[in-house]
């Protein structure tokens, strides 16, 4: 091969790697477009629990870690959920290092017993969050779903910032982008795929760097067209709605999303009865045997009740 051609190809490869934000990372697992998925990590209250028949299974990083080995053996892609934008007082790492987490917090979330984290304190957030990404990799997660990556657009987050105070979302938007980019980079460096959770205002900027998307209620709020940035790039969009409506499946087809919905509340953003209805065919050929030590059956009630129980330890 001509040396000049070879050199040009190397430049293209190097630029391409930099463009997706990979810093010395291993190849990551691809979340297949059109795949079935199971949601165990969040979204329910006295219902909305899911099975584990999906090709992709979304679980909590800590409370459901006992499921990872069996899911992997069954050929599942395991996505591990945790929040990078809030203080989750019930997690062991928060309880073990309360002062550091309190120092990074700026204000309580409006609807949940969690506190927003100050995205301007990037170095402190890196120190707090790096162990979570490392834990995901060491436990065998194939990918991660960091939540609450949109402080910049929530008044109860940026509006609570002081020293200095923040007048509007634009003032901290770049800080949010930098923090999210760091999350992508650290995930890829550890060989983890990473999903972009909500944060619709940043999709056009950050979609090239994320591996898939996770969305709540884009159909309810007529925002799903924005996810063409993912679907046009052959990246999966895992989507949920919190009311029972057959039309959600029409929207899923229109916008090329993997949608599931339940009987719940749009305003609360949570399922309240029954279980998920899928707008896709579930993959049931690989059943998953529950680990005898797994606490999955108690996660739905345990996680929700833990939030209130532990929040007073911090605020």
């Amino acid at each position: 091969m001509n040396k000049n051609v070879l050199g040009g190809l190397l430049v293209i490869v190097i630029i391409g790697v930099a463009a997706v934000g990979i810093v010395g990372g291993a190849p990551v697992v691809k979340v297949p477009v059109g795949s079935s998925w199971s949601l165990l990590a969040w979204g329910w209250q006295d219902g909305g629990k899911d099975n584990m028949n999906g090709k992709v299974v979304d679980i909590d990083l800590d409370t459901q870690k006992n499921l990872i080995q069996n899911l992997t053996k069954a050929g599942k892609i395991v996505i591990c959920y945790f929040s990078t934008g809030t203080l989750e007082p019930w997690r062991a790492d928060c309880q073990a290092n309360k002062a550091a987490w309190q120092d990074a917090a700026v204000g309580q979330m409006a609807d949940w017993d969690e506190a927003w984290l100050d995205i301007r304190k990037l170095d402190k957030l890196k120190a707090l969050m790096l162990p979570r990404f490392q834990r995901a990799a060491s436990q065998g997660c194939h990918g991660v779903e960091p939540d609450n990556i949109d402080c910049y657009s929530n008044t109860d987050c940026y509006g609570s910032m002081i020293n200095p105070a923040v007048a509007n979302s634009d003032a901290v938007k770049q800080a949010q982008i930098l923090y999210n980019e760091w999350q992508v980079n650290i995930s890829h460096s550890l060989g983890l795929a990473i999903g972009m959770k909500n944060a619709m205002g940043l999709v056009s900027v950050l979609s090239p760097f994320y591996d898939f998307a996770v969305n709540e209620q884009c159909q309810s709020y007529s925002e799903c067209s924005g996810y063409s940035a993912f679907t046009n790039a052959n990246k999966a969009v895992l989507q949920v709605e919190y009311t029972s409506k057959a039309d959600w499946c029409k929207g899923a087809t229109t916008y090329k999303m993997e949608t599931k919905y339940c009987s719940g509340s749009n305003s609360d953003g949570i399922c309240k009865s029954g279980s998920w209805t899928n707008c896709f065919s579930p993959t049931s050929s690989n059943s998953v045997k529950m680990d005898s030590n797994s606490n999955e059956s108690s996660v739905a009630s345990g996680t929700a009740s833990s939030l209130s129980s532990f929040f007073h330890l911090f605020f």
Side-chain angles (χ1 to χ4, degrees):
M1 180 180 290
N2 184 286
K3 291 183 179 180
N4 291 333
V5 173
L6 178 59
L9 289 174
L10 288 173
V11 169
I12 291 172
V13 170
I14 292 170
I15 291 175
V17 170
V20 296
I22 298 176
V23 181
V28 300
V29 171
K30 182 175 177 60
V31 176
V33 173
S35 62
S36 58
W37 66 293
S38 299
L39 177 54
L40 304 178
W42 48 268
W44 31 247
Q45 176 179 300
D46 299 326
K49 300 176 186 178
D50 213 345
N51 57 40
M52 291 182 284
N53 292 336
K55 175 63 178 177
V56 178
V57 183
D58 192 342
I59 66 172
D60 187 86
L61 173 66
D62 296 318
T63 62
Q64 296 167 318
K65 63 184 179 182
N66 289 340
L67 299 176
I68 295 174
Q69 183 176 7
N70 284 346
L71 288 170
T72 300
K73 286 181 179 178
K76 310 294 184 178
I77 296 173
V78 181
I79 304 300
C80 293
Y81 167 93
F82 55 94
S83 177
T84 53
T86 61
L87 182 160
E88 299 171 291
W90 53 271
R91 290 198 188 271
D93 55 3
C94 286
Q95 296 174 43
N97 195 9
K98 298 175 187 176
W101 286 89
Q102 287 175 327
D103 186 54
V106 292
Q108 187 173 348
M109 296 187 81
D111 301 314
W112 302 96
D113 285 341
E114 299 178 26
W116 286 102
L117 298 174
D118 193 338
I119 53 177
R120 301 173 301 176
K121 299 180 178 181
L122 184 57
D123 288 340
K124 291 183 178 181
L125 295 186
K126 287 179 179 180
L128 292 171
M129 294 301 171
L130 177 60
R132 289 188 176 178
F133 287 93
Q134 293 173 327
R135 192 155 73 247
S138 65
Q139 290 176 177
C141 307
H142 298 108
V144 291
E145 180 207 343
D147 201 2
N148 303 306
I149 60 170
D150 53 0
C151 162
Y152 88 99
S153 62
N154 283 273
T155 56
D156 50 340
C157 184
Y158 73 78
S160 300
M161 294 178 178
I162 58 175
N163 300 322
V166 174
N168 54 59
S169 62
D170 288 341
V172 288
K173 185 174 183 178
Q174 188 57 36
Q176 184 75 71
I177 291 172
L178 289 174
Y179 183 33
N180 292 2
E181 287 178 338
W182 174 79
Q183 295 174 51
V184 172
N185 284 334
I186 200 64
S187 296
H188 289 166
S189 73
L190 293 168
L192 296 166
I194 180 170
M196 185 173 187
K197 177 74 171 285
N198 297 325
M200 289 298 303
L202 299 178
V203 167
S204 61
V205 177
L206 295 177
S207 61
F209 312 133
Y210 282 88
D211 303 297
F212 62 99
V214 181
N215 173 268
E216 297 172 281
Q217 301 171 278
C218 73
Q219 294 197 61
S220 293
Y221 298 116
S222 302
E223 297 174 332
C224 297
S225 61
Y227 282 107
S228 61
F230 279 91
T231 58
N232 288 345
N234 198 34
K235 296 179 181 181
V237 178
L238 312 180
Q239 201 263 329
V240 303
E241 294 289 340
Y242 294 118
T243 59
S244 294
K245 184 178 177 182
D247 285 351
W248 297 143
C249 291
K250 294 180 181 178
T253 300
T254 299
Y255 297 109
K256 302 177 182 178
M257 304 179 299
E258 284 66 72
T259 296
K260 55 175 65 212
Y261 62 90
C262 65
S263 179
S265 167
N266 270 337
S267 59
D268 294 339
I270 201 166
C271 298
K272 294 192 173 181
S273 65
S275 59
W276 294 104
T277 299
N278 297 322
C279 295
F280 49 79
S281 298
T283 301
S284 56
S285 57
N286 292 327
S287 61
V288 180
K289 181 180 179 181
M290 292 295 296
D291 189 305
S292 60
N293 296 318
S294 171
N295 63 350
E296 188 275 336
S297 60
S298 63
V299 166
S301 58
T303 301
S305 61
S306 296
L307 294 175
S308 296
S309 300
F310 290 119
F311 192 77
H312 73 275
L313 297 173
F314 291 84
F315 296 97

